[in-house]
Amino acid sequence: MTMTRQVEFMVIGGGLAGATCAEALRAEGATGTILLIGEEPGLPYQRPPLSKTFITSAQESTARPVVSEARFKELDIDVALGRPVASVDARKRLVRLPADAGQPADQIHFGHLLIATGASPVRLSVPGADLGGIHYLRSIADARALRASALKTQHAVVIGASFIGVEIAASLCQRGVKVTIVEERAHVLGKMKTPALSAYFKSVLESHGVEVILRDAPASFAGSAQVEAVFTREGRTLPCDMVVVGIGVTPDTGFLHGSGIHVNHGVLVDRFLQTNHRSIFAAGDVANFFDPVFNEQHRIEHWDNAIRQGRLAARNMLGRHEAYDAVSYFFSHVFDLHFNLLGRIEEPYEKIDRGSLESGSFASFYLHNDVPRALFSLGRPTDETKIVEQLIRNRINVAAQKSSLADPAYKLSNIPNQTVLILQGGGAYGAFEYGAVKALAEGGVRPDIISGVSIGAFNGAIIAGNPDHPVEALAGFWADLGTISPFIPDESLRRSVASSQIAMFGVQHFFTPRWMLPTLATDQLPAQWSSLYDMSPARELLVKYVDFDKLAKSPIRLMVSAVDIETSELVIFDSYAEKLTPDHIVASGSLPPSFPWTTIRGHHYWDGGIVSNSPLESVIERCGASGKTVFIIDLFPGRRTTLPQNLMEVMARRDEILYAERIRSDTRTERNMRDFRKLVEELQGDLPPEAVRRLRSNPLYIQLMGEDAPMKITRIVRENSEDESDSRDYDFSARTLEQLVESGYAMAQKALKK
């Protein structure tokens, strides 16, 4: 008998990525049913201890769950344990579970699916490889079997001197087992591609009694039922009571054969962790994803990566469309050495060492074309790792600082990071931004990152799309927007008349009133309007001033924000992660009820300023705060000396207060983080030194506790004029725009002099 049921969110894989995703779905607002299917019989658990404390502890350790049973129940997440998946049909959105252990076969229809099945150890295929006493380590069952063997073992052979092999060798040695490592390559930890580092770890192993054999591999195993010896290709005979094989893993994708999901060395996904089917995602060890940081397709088999991708997959299953652009951490310890590997070591590279291994304070920078790509760190301050993570993530050229990197006393916070320009929304006030950008350019300020919303997104696209002549392009854009209004000596009256004219007839090249559209279609009658104006002219104007093919390759990273109408989520469109189009820019400025929503990939968007008109948080979240020089062009100052006199002024003042508070909230968060770090540092004083060393190598500790290089914020504030009308933000008259440009220029010059 086959049971058939329907779930909204299904997660296949009971590991770290799967459990993290299921929990994050609820935290991010998922309201539908969530089902997690795990092949192992127990709850998802932490795997890093398996090669360490599971082996070394006096008592058999228990698995530390990623999410407790009580927490799953609290979040109303169904968990099916000990259930392998037979097949997936992507087109029908169908997962089949075989009948197993008295449970009937299942057919489950899903709305969204995450594949997080991880990977399995690569197995040896030499004579005798099926003998008892030959172990592989991936699951808690593997760890328990390995520990049981270690309790009665005198001599163990570890095949492979990768991180996992070295960890297991050290753990067995600490249990009093004599250990021999056999490695096919020429170096211990060969993936480090650093002979001196490999030699150091080899010497550490040997100093603890571990025999290390390089450039050799097992040819066969000997024994009747249990392994008794290893015969190597070079003719060695290594007597032993147990063998542990750690030569790599292969992604678990066998059940996807015929599914319609593209598989190649893992599940192929894009930078959004999305497969070739929109509703299906993959995360963790099984995901072969496009990495925008390194501009390549690859897999990462790290604990930190599984957590980050699990959380991101949850958000994207809910329609967020966020790219995975994290820099992976790997952390471990061998005997009393705690170390981290950050990023990706690739060739060709240049290596710069900092400190010395012998002193216990050492770092090795891996550079490609003067850009940091990886960092090995042992015993160095946490803040160094945090800062280098930002240098790698943001592709910062350190050519000018290379001679200083080798000096352990040189503060990495001195490395210039990135200049950020925050451009707010504010309609005609965007001309103030143009004036400010002109002054900044004359002062030598060149942005590396622009985060814009609404009219700020338009200005940002023009700057990023014209990195060699942004001021000239902005000048042309704002000249095209300027409308001719009647000459009226009284300035207040002139502005009022101009605003009324624009409200009635729109702005040429920008927006057209619906009553002027040349159509008699019934859906264009006022009763069916969902907006007052049409923005088709704005798209044409963008194409005139922005080459979107060049924008995709621009040295300036552009982020623009919009609100998904259905989900109410703020979505960031990032040129670092995807090719932007005129629709992405227009979506950021689709402010209701004036302008219609913009549809992109089936999702409907309004102006991002509805949620945040000063998108500093998107920069901090995606690019980090470390070492940033930030210029915020503030169009809505928080302070006024007079109270609003009518309802229109009340509404305008409300918006000013909301926008000002968002900036204060962003800076307040940074202060709270500093206080949090102080508290954690104080608590560490009560912990044993070994526990502190282990804690400080944890990626979460580095991310939360690593002191960023200070972020410098300069605000260029537009000053309120008491004679401004309540329609000031849509006065696109040429005279008013000219005044705004002049004001922005003057205020930016003033800010630069401080």
Side-chain angles (χ1 to χ4, degrees):
M1 180 181 176
T2 299
M3 297 180 60
T4 301
R5 51 179 167 152
Q6 177 80 38
V7 299
E8 180 55 35
F9 301 96
M10 179 183 293
V11 177
I12 302 176
L16 186 58
T20 301
C21 176
E23 185 178 34
L25 280 168
R26 281 287 186 248
E28 296 289 342
T31 57
T33 52
I34 301 175
L35 171 64
L36 183 144
I37 300 173
E39 188 169 3
E40 292 188 59
L43 288 171
Y45 54 88
Q46 302 284 355
R47 295 184 189 273
L50 298 184
S51 59
K52 306 176 187 73
T53 55
F54 257 76
I55 300 174
T56 61
S57 62
Q59 303 292 324
E60 185 174 295
S61 300
T62 57
R64 189 174 67 191
V66 179
V67 180
S68 68
E69 184 177 5
R71 180 61 173 165
F72 276 128
K73 288 181 179 178
E74 177 189 342
L75 297 174
D76 192 23
I77 297 172
D78 295 329
V79 180
L81 301 174
R83 299 298 306 274
V85 172
S87 66
V88 175
D89 189 324
R91 185 180 61 83
K92 295 181 179 179
R93 296 190 182 185
L94 180 66
V95 171
R96 297 182 178 88
L97 307 182
D100 184 60
Q103 300 183 77
D106 259 348
Q107 289 194 148
I108 307 173
H109 292 271
F110 60 84
H112 296 81
L113 172 67
L114 176 73
I115 300 168
T117 46
S120 295
V122 174
R123 298 188 174 267
L124 287 171
S125 58
V126 299
D130 57 347
L131 288 169
I134 299 177
H135 298 271
Y136 299 82
L137 181 58
R138 187 66 178 177
S139 68
I140 191 169
D142 296 335
R144 286 169 174 158
L146 196 159
R147 183 180 185 276
S149 287
L151 292 175
K152 52 187 179 183
T153 290
Q154 295 184 338
H155 193 173
V157 175
V158 176
I159 309 298
S162 63
F163 285 112
I164 186 68
V166 170
E167 288 173 1
I168 292 171
S171 296
L172 289 172
C173 184
Q174 289 175 280
R175 287 214 66 91
V177 178
K178 180 173 175 56
V179 181
T180 299
I181 293 179
V182 179
E183 168 57 51
E184 188 172 19
R185 289 176 292 189
H187 302 288
V188 172
L189 304 180
K191 288 186 176 181
M192 299 296 298
K193 301 176 183 177
T194 307
L197 195 59
S198 296
Y200 176 75
F201 273 91
K202 180 174 180 288
S203 69
V204 169
L205 289 165
E206 290 174 337
S207 70
H208 285 81
V210 178
E211 181 184 10
V212 181
I213 299 172
L214 302 174
R215 297 186 178 89
D216 205 352
S220 63
F221 299 102
S224 53
Q226 292 285 120
V227 65
E228 298 174 3
V230 179
F231 298 129
T232 75
R233 295 176 188 173
E234 298 299 317
R236 293 182 173 91
T237 300
L238 306 175
C240 60
D241 306 301
M242 68 179 291
V243 172
V244 185
V245 182
I247 56 174
V249 297
T250 184
D252 287 332
T253 59
F255 69 99
L256 295 175
H257 180 72
S259 66
I261 299 169
H262 292 170
V263 174
N264 186 13
H265 302 293
V267 179
L268 283 174
V269 294
D270 59 16
R271 64 195 74 198
F272 308 106
L273 307 183
Q274 192 172 45
T275 69
N276 55 305
H277 290 266
R278 286 185 59 182
S279 61
I280 302 176
F281 298 77
D285 294 7
V286 77
N288 186 354
F289 70 102
F290 184 82
D291 188 339
V293 176
F294 296 94
N295 198 35
E296 66 178 5
Q297 200 85 24
H298 66 123
R299 289 189 309 108
I300 297 178
E301 300 159 3
H302 297 168
W303 175 88
D304 175 65
N305 175 73
I307 291 179
R308 291 175 185 255
Q309 288 196 344
R311 290 173 178 165
L312 182 70
R315 292 197 290 271
N316 286 344
M317 290 167 78
L318 293 168
R320 298 286 185 83
H321 203 67
E322 297 178 15
Y324 185 75
D325 61 356
V327 178
S328 64
Y329 286 84
F330 174 83
F331 68 104
S332 185
H333 68 269
V334 175
F335 300 109
D336 58 348
L337 296 177
H338 295 260
F339 56 91
N340 295 83
L341 176 62
L342 177 68
R344 182 169 174 83
I345 298 173
E346 51 190 338
E347 295 192 64
Y349 65 87
E350 178 183 4
K351 192 170 71 65
I352 299 175
D353 292 338
R354 180 179 176 91
S356 69
L357 289 162
E358 291 71 23
S359 70
S361 178
F362 174 81
S364 190
F365 299 87
Y366 295 82
L367 310 180
H368 180 67
N369 293 332
D370 296 329
V371 175
R373 306 294 275 176
L375 172 76
F376 176 87
S377 179
L378 186 154
R380 295 297 300 170
T382 301
D383 62 336
E384 286 194 354
T385 304
K386 183 68 174 293
I387 291 171
V388 175
E389 187 266 343
Q390 294 299 323
L391 297 177
I392 296 171
R393 187 180 187 189
N394 298 314
R395 305 172 186 167
I396 304 300
N397 191 296
V398 297
Q401 293 81 30
K402 280 201 303 184
S403 60
S404 301
L405 291 180
D407 180 3
Y410 175 73
K411 292 184 177 181
L412 299 184
S413 58
N414 292 333
I415 299 175
N417 197 305
Q418 290 178 304
T419 298
V420 180
L421 182 61
I422 305 296
L423 300 175
Q424 296 182 347
Y429 289 160
F432 180 94
E433 294 178 334
Y434 157 43
V437 169
K438 182 179 179 181
L440 291 174
E442 292 177 1
V445 177
R446 300 289 187 274
D448 301 294
I449 300 170
I450 297 175
S451 182
V453 61
S454 199
I455 195 64
F458 282 75
N459 283 335
I462 293 167
I463 298 168
N466 299 274
D468 298 326
H469 49 89
V471 175
E472 292 85 350
L474 283 172
F477 175 79
W478 283 99
D480 278 351
L481 288 184
T483 62
I484 304 301
S485 58
F487 174 76
I488 300 174
D490 184 270
E491 180 66 6
S492 180
L493 180 59
R494 184 196 66 78
R495 291 181 180 180
S496 180
V497 171
S499 299
S500 298
Q501 174 188 329
I502 291 162
M504 179 63 69
F505 299 103
V507 176
Q508 190 181 17
H509 310 305
F510 201 23
F511 56 86
T512 303
R514 292 210 170 273
W515 71 266
M516 294 180 61
L517 295 177
T519 179
L520 296 177
T522 56
D523 64 351
Q524 291 298 319
L525 295 175
Q528 280 75 47
W529 288 357
S530 59
S531 66
L532 299 173
Y533 302 95
D534 175 72
M535 290 194 75
S536 298
R539 291 177 172 82
E540 298 174 8
L541 190 63
L542 277 169
V543 172
K544 177 180 177 181
Y545 287 101
V546 182
D547 185 331
F548 283 87
D549 289 330
K550 290 183 179 179
L551 175 61
K553 302 174 183 177
S554 173
I556 301 174
R557 180 176 182 178
L558 175 65
M559 291 180 282
V560 300
S561 57
V563 178
D564 188 311
I565 298 175
E566 285 93 347
T567 67
S568 72
E569 298 291 343
L570 185 69
V571 176
I572 308 299
F573 301 119
D574 186 349
S575 68
Y576 191 81
E578 61 186 309
K579 184 179 180 180
L580 302 185
T581 69
D583 280 343
H584 292 97
I585 311 304
V586 172
S588 184
S590 298
L591 182 66
S594 295
F595 306 125
W597 60 70
T598 300
T599 302
I600 303 172
R601 296 184 302 273
H603 292 267
H604 311 290
Y605 299 99
W606 274 335
D607 191 307
I610 295 172
V611 174
S612 174
N613 199 48
S614 193
L616 175 61
E617 74 279 4
S618 63
V619 174
I620 294 173
E621 180 182 347
R622 292 176 175 245
C623 310
S626 180
K628 298 287 191 296
T629 299
V630 181
F631 292 89
I632 299 175
I633 302 178
D634 197 345
L635 302 180
F636 295 92
R639 183 176 296 275
R640 275 189 178 269
T641 58
T642 60
L643 293 173
Q645 301 301 308
N646 53 56
L647 283 175
M648 293 294 292
E649 290 185 6
V650 167
M651 297 296 290
R653 181 60 183 151
R654 182 200 64 176
D655 291 342
E656 289 176 347
I657 294 171
L658 287 172
Y659 300 154
E661 172 56 27
R662 192 63 187 230
I663 288 290
R664 288 194 291 268
S665 177
D666 290 336
T667 54
R668 191 183 303 120
T669 298
E670 289 300 305
R671 291 195 300 271
N672 291 340
M673 282 299 299
R674 288 194 293 271
D675 292 340
F676 170 77
R677 293 184 183 110
K678 291 178 182 178
L679 175 62
V680 174
E681 290 291 350
E682 291 177 5
L683 293 174
Q684 289 179 51
D686 298 327
L687 296 176
E690 175 62 21
V692 173
R693 285 194 294 270
R694 186 165 58 251
L695 175 65
R696 290 180 174 176
S697 67
N698 188 296
L700 288 179
Y701 179 90
I702 293 170
Q703 294 164 32
L704 294 173
M705 293 295 297
E707 282 283 359
D708 293 309
M711 182 173 62
K712 180 183 178 182
I713 297 179
T714 298
R715 298 178 68 172
I716 301 169
V717 183
R718 187 190 66 82
E719 294 181 342
N720 282 316
S721 173
E722 297 303 333
D723 64 348
E724 288 181 342
S725 70
D726 51 32
S727 57
R728 57 194 179 273
D729 57 341
Y730 61 89
D731 179 2
F732 283 87
S733 63
R735 176 58 186 151
T736 297
L737 296 184
E738 182 182 336
Q739 292 170 347
L740 286 166
V741 173
E742 292 172 355
S743 176
Y745 184 85
M747 297 308 294
Q749 284 190 318
K750 182 179 178 180
L752 288 172
K753 291 177 182 178
K754 290 183 179 180

